[in-house]
């Protein structure tokens, strides 16, 4: 064993059997946690203890654990992904906490994200929005020359900034209205900025914003909590760009 | 129409009607300051010219009524739809960007509605008791005397000042929100709109409360 100082933490975790179960908070103790544990590794330790005791482990989403897949999704002390700038839960480390801390862990809470179990929510509504128009229609065939269509560097950079979205849904979780404007705005902008996406821009923004409403997401009231919650730092300028695209589409 | 069935479209309609009201309150403030006498004949002359052509007055009133009604209608609808957008509140509230003003737009808005009704009953229909209504030879009410006698009453002055605090809150969020909703903001310009919007809201606040405060303090006398 290493000689690292260890921490003991109190976790207050949302437990819910399924979508129809009302759910409740339960308290657990996380023992022997070092500052090098990631938040998810800390939960792994707690779950190992729970399994040894013959109790149900805490169910949570995760996959890459390196901040790129967008699967991890926990609200920690009221902040999606724990509130550290540009950091997903999986990249959050226990050195951000101190011995004796009490930590509240909750699932994303939004009308459009029903809880599947404990901390896992069903985020397929985001896929529904993408299916409505988050693509470009093109003929497949031989691979096109990478430089056949010239794109100015600032435009490519702007599109890339929007494309950083990993679709985790933290923006929805952070929004007091449960709106998906930052997610949809990022996708609409990313495609509308590039020549390949421009041709379908009007139809896309119309279809995607319609799908957004049908999925039960709320409306934007410009609180900008989404931007604060986003682990990829997606800016609300992409919501403005989507609003602009929407307005343009009215005249298309 | 797509514009009105979509939440973005409805917000755009709210933003445009909001802008119409902002333009109105700016012009209204400039008109109010004539009480300090910077045009000859002061506020009485201003009121006289303003109402010189009744059909235009009524057309303008109908136009503003429509703008206010549409704004309120969509404001209420937006707020109701957003209730329960979050399935249940978080155990710990940790908002990072939302402000008191942004979270209470519907309440500041509805308070403004109450104020607008009171204000119309007060100075437009002149049915609120406790003010001096002095007609001149042609039967026109002396506006200066009416306003000054009203604001000598603490409660009346207080209601107006409180209403202007509410307007400040509504606009400190509303002005930058207008630019964002219209899609006219970027990461460079939004912080500027936030500051400039708050400044405009503050100037409107100070300008409006200058009238009741200077009367209540006895600087403007009847
Ligand atoms: C008469 C009663 C009023 C009600 C019930 C009302 C209600 C609302 C509501 C609910 C919003 C949406 C807030 C949000 O997105 O979070 C809003 C936005 C706004 N209001 Fe009002 N309001 C009223 C009067 C006014 C007045 C008198 C003005 C201007 C002088 C004004 C200007 C605005 C502006 C500029 C916005 C921002 C629109 C946007 O988000 O793009 N409102 N109002
Ligand atoms: S687990 Fe992939 S981003 Fe966190």
């Amino acid at each position: 064993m290493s000689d690292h100082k260890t921490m003991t933490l109190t976790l207050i975790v949302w437990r819910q059997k399924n979508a129809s179960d009302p759910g409740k908070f339960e308290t657990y103790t996380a023992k022997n946690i070092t500052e090098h544990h990631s938040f998810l590794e800390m939960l792994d330790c707690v779950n190992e203890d729970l399994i040894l005791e013959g109790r149900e482990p805490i169910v949570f989403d995760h996959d890459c654990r390196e901040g790129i897949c967008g699967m991890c999704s926990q609200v920690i002390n009221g902040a999606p992904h724990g509130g550290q700038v540009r950091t997903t839960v999986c990249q959050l480390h226990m050195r951000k906490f101190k011995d004796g801390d009490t930590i509240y862990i909750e699932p994303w809470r939004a009308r459009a994200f029903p809880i599947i179990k404990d901390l896992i929510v069903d985020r397929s509504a985001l896929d529904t929005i993408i299916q409505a128009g988050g693509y470009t229609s093109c003929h497949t065939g031989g691979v096109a020359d990478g430089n056949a269509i010239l794109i100015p560097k600032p435009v490519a950079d702007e599109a890339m900034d929007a494309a950083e979205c990993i679709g985790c849904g933290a923006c929805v979780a952070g929004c007091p209205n449960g709106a998906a404007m930052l997610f949809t705005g990022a996708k609409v902008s990313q495609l509308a900025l590039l020549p390949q996406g421009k041709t379908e821009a009007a139809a896309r923004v119309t279809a995607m914003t319609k799908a957004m409403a049908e999925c039960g997401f709320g409306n934007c009231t410009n609180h900008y909590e989404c931007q604060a919650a986003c682990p990829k730092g997606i800016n609300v300028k992409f919501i403005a760009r989507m609003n602009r695209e929407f307005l343009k589409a009215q005249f298309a | 129409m797509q514009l009105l069935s979509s939440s973005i479209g409805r917000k755009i309609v709210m933003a445009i009607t909001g802008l119409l009201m902002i333009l109105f309150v700016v012009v209204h403030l400039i008109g109010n300051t004539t009480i300090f006498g910077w045009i000859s004949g002061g506020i009485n002359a201003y009121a006289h010219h303003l109402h010189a052509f009744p059909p235009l007055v009524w057309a303008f009133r109908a136009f503003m009524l429509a703008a206010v009604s549409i704004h309120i209608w969509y404001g209420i609808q937006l707020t109701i739809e957003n209730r329960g957008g979050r399935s249940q509140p978080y155990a710990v509230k940790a908002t990072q960007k939302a402000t008191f003003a942004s979270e209470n737009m519907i309440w500041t808005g509805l308070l403004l509605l109450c104020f607008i009704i009171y204000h119309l009953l007060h100075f437009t229909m002149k049915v609120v008791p406790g003010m001096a209504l002095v007609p001149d030879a042609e039967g026109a009410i002396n506006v200066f005397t009416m306003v000054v006698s009203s604001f000598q009453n603490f409660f009346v002055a207080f209601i107006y000042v409180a209403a202007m605090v509410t307007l400040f809150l509504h606009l400190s969020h509303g002005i930058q929100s207008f630019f964002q909703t219209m899609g006219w903001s970027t990461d460079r310009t939004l912080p500027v709109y936030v500051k400039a919007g708050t400044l405009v809201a503050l100037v409107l606040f100070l300008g409006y409360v200058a009238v009741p405060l200077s009367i209540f303090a006895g600087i403007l006398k009847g």
Side-chain angles (χ1 to χ4, degrees):
Chain A
M1 277 299 286
S2 73
D3 54 351
H4 287 303
K5 275 211 309 211
T6 65
M7 300 185 251
T8 304
L9 304 140
T10 304
L11 307 184
I12 301 180
V13 185
W14 186 259
R15 303 300 307 262
Q16 182 171 338
K17 284 195 181 63
N18 51 48
S20 50
D21 178 37
K24 62 175 188 308
F25 281 106
E26 296 226 14
T27 305
Y28 302 93
T29 308
K31 289 186 274 289
N32 297 321
I33 304 301
T34 75
E35 60 173 14
H36 299 298
H37 279 89
S38 76
F39 199 84
L40 298 188
E41 284 163 351
M42 181 274 294
L43 284 177
D44 292 337
C45 295
V46 173
N47 274 346
E48 276 172 18
D49 290 347
L50 287 176
I51 291 166
L52 288 176
E53 289 167 25
R55 294 160 74 192
E56 273 270 307
I58 300 160
V59 178
F60 60 89
D61 253 338
H62 63 105
D63 190 12
C64 70
R65 295 206 176 195
E66 54 186 21
I68 56 172
C69 77
M71 276 309 276
C72 54
S73 45
Q74 298 171 24
V75 171
I76 299 162
N77 290 335
H81 291 297
Q84 206 198 321
V85 175
R86 290 193 176 220
T87 309
T88 53
V89 189
C90 60
Q91 292 289 293
L92 178 66
H93 281 78
M94 295 314 291
R95 54 180 170 269
K96 296 289 165 191
F97 297 88
K98 39 181 211 313
D99 190 34
D101 274 358
T102 297
I103 307 172
Y104 278 83
I105 309 175
E106 294 175 78
W108 283 176
R109 295 202 187 277
R111 178 170 50 205
F113 289 163
I115 292 177
I116 296 172
K117 190 170 178 160
D118 295 347
L119 303 174
I120 297 189
V121 300
D122 180 356
R123 283 172 284 183
S124 46
L126 295 183
D127 299 333
T128 308
I129 295 175
I130 294 295
Q131 282 156 9
Y135 50 80
T136 60
S137 312
C138 55
H139 298 289
T140 52
V143 178
D145 174 16
N147 291 322
I149 305 173
L150 296 177
I151 301 166
K153 173 82 166 123
V155 175
D157 284 351
E158 181 94 347
M160 195 57 216
D161 286 348
E164 263 201 83
C165 169
I166 54 174
C168 64
C171 46
V172 180
C175 177
N177 310 324
M181 291 283 281
L182 193 62
F183 170 80
T184 314
K187 303 300 176 190
V188 162
S189 301
Q190 172 198 333
L191 295 170
L193 276 159
L194 300 174
Q196 297 91 333
K198 251 187 197 129
T199 40
E200 292 170 297
R204 175 182 307 113
V205 68
T206 308
M208 288 180 81
T209 51
K210 186 160 170 277
M212 191 172 71
E214 284 166 0
C215 288
F217 291 106
N219 311 310
C220 184
T221 54
N222 301 337
H223 291 293
Y224 311 135
E225 283 293 322
C226 50
Q227 181 181 316
C230 179
K232 296 294 147 184
I234 307 283
N235 194 282
V236 292
K237 71 179 171 190
F238 293 119
I239 296 182
R241 188 177 278 280
M242 172 164 67
N243 293 346
R244 199 148 75 227
E245 289 293 331
F246 177 89
L247 205 51
K248 265 201 291 187
Q250 303 306 303
F251 303 99
Chain B
M1 201 161 93
Q2 232 267 296
L3 188 66
L4 298 183
S5 62
S6 139
S7 88
I8 299 180
R10 284 186 258 133
K11 278 283 320 236
I12 290 173
V13 173
M14 282 201 73
I16 294 170
T17 51
L19 176 70
L20 291 174
M21 288 189 278
I22 293 173
L23 295 177
F24 175 80
V25 292
V26 170
V27 175
H28 188 14
L29 173 62
I30 297 172
N32 284 3
T33 57
T34 59
I35 199 166
F36 296 107
W38 59 269
I39 61 167
S40 84
I43 198 164
N44 282 327
Y46 168 69
H48 180 73
H49 291 307
L50 193 64
H51 299 106
F53 188 55
L56 197 64
V57 174
W58 281 103
F60 185 72
R61 284 175 178 164
F63 178 74
M64 286 313 294
L65 179 68
V68 174
S69 309
I70 293 168
H71 188 84
I72 297 175
W73 175 257
Y74 284 131
I76 293 175
Q77 194 179 345
L78 184 79
T79 309
I80 291 175
E81 281 179 10
N82 281 345
R83 288 272 143 91
R86 181 175 277 170
S87 47
Q88 100 178 52
Y90 293 115
V92 186
K93 187 178 188 244
T95 43
Q96 298 175 72
K97 290 242 180 177
T99 59
F100 178 80
S102 78
E103 286 178 334
N104 290 289
M105 286 298 275
I106 188 65
W107 303 118
T108 50
L110 290 175
L111 282 172
L112 283 173
L113 174 63
C114 296
F115 171 73
I116 292 168
I117 294 170
Y118 169 77
H119 182 53
L120 289 174
L121 291 172
H122 190 191
F123 287 145
T124 304
M125 296 167 74
K126 307 181 178 54
V127 294
V128 173
M131 56 184 171
L133 297 175
V134 186
D136 64 10
E138 282 146 38
I141 299 291
N142 187 321
V143 177
F144 184 82
T145 315
M146 171 177 81
V147 173
V148 171
S149 61
S150 286
F151 288 146
Q152 279 163 349
N153 180 320
F154 172 78
F155 289 105
V156 176
F158 179 82
I159 289 173
Y160 275 79
V161 173
M164 291 307 104
V165 173
T166 314
L167 181 67
F168 168 77
L169 287 173
H170 201 76
L171 292 187
S172 66
H173 175 74
I175 294 176
Q176 58 79 30
S177 188
F178 166 83
F179 288 99
Q180 173 76 1
T181 302
M182 296 304 290
W184 296 347
S185 52
T186 64
D187 50 344
R188 271 183 304 109
T189 54
L190 189 61
V192 180
Y193 295 145
V194 170
K195 286 202 192 81
T198 311
L199 187 68
V200 169
L202 188 68
V203 169
L204 286 169
F205 168 76
L206 294 173
Y208 275 109
V209 299
V211 178
L213 289 187
S214 51
I215 292 170
F216 188 70
I219 299 167
L220 263 185
K221 291 193 198 66

